[in-house]
Amino acid sequence: MTEVRKLSTKEFTSEYAKRVGRQDFLTSVRDMSVGMTIAIPADGKEEARRKQHGIINDASRRRKAGQKVRYQTILKEKEVWVRRIE
């Protein structure tokens, strides 16, 4: 049986900020208007790929919810370029 351990508020807050901070770029993407283009910074190609994948998945979920949203993305070495086309 696995034992449950208590966490300090500081430990939880620190870890939560790390995880949520990775998704902060989605707020900027969701606020884009049609024709707008942005560059999202990344620490490397692997992180850029994860962010690109997150954008694609978010757009898919939003289309399933009835919203008309489509993006074009370009994967760069330390950025993801995003343009909203619908």
Side-chain angles (χ1 to χ4, degrees):
M1 185 167 152
T2 306
E3 196 170 316
V4 176
R5 71 182 181 95
K6 289 185 178 185
L7 296 172
S8 70
T9 301
K10 182 179 179 182
E11 183 180 9
F12 182 85
T13 304
S14 172
E15 194 63 29
Y16 185 80
K18 282 187 222 172
R19 306 230 186 253
V20 173
R22 293 183 191 149
Q23 299 300 319
D24 279 349
F25 68 92
L26 284 178
T27 302
S28 298
V29 171
R30 289 177 185 149
D31 290 342
M32 292 174 68
S33 57
V34 175
M36 187 176 174
T37 305
I38 62 172
I40 302 168
D43 290 336
K45 198 134 188 156
E46 187 176 319
E47 183 183 4
R49 189 171 291 119
R50 277 195 304 272
K51 288 182 176 187
Q52 181 187 38
H53 185 71
I55 292 165
I56 292 167
N57 282 342
D58 185 64
S60 176
R61 284 191 299 271
R62 290 172 67 194
R63 281 193 303 276
K64 286 178 184 174
Q67 297 178 8
K68 290 187 175 186
V69 59
R70 291 201 188 279
Y71 301 101
Q72 291 177 326
T73 61
I74 298 174
L75 189 64
K76 303 292 274 182
E77 192 64 36
K78 295 211 174 208
E79 289 181 324
V80 179
W81 292 0
V82 183
R83 177 173 54 189
R84 182 165 178 185
I85 57 172
E86 181 180 335

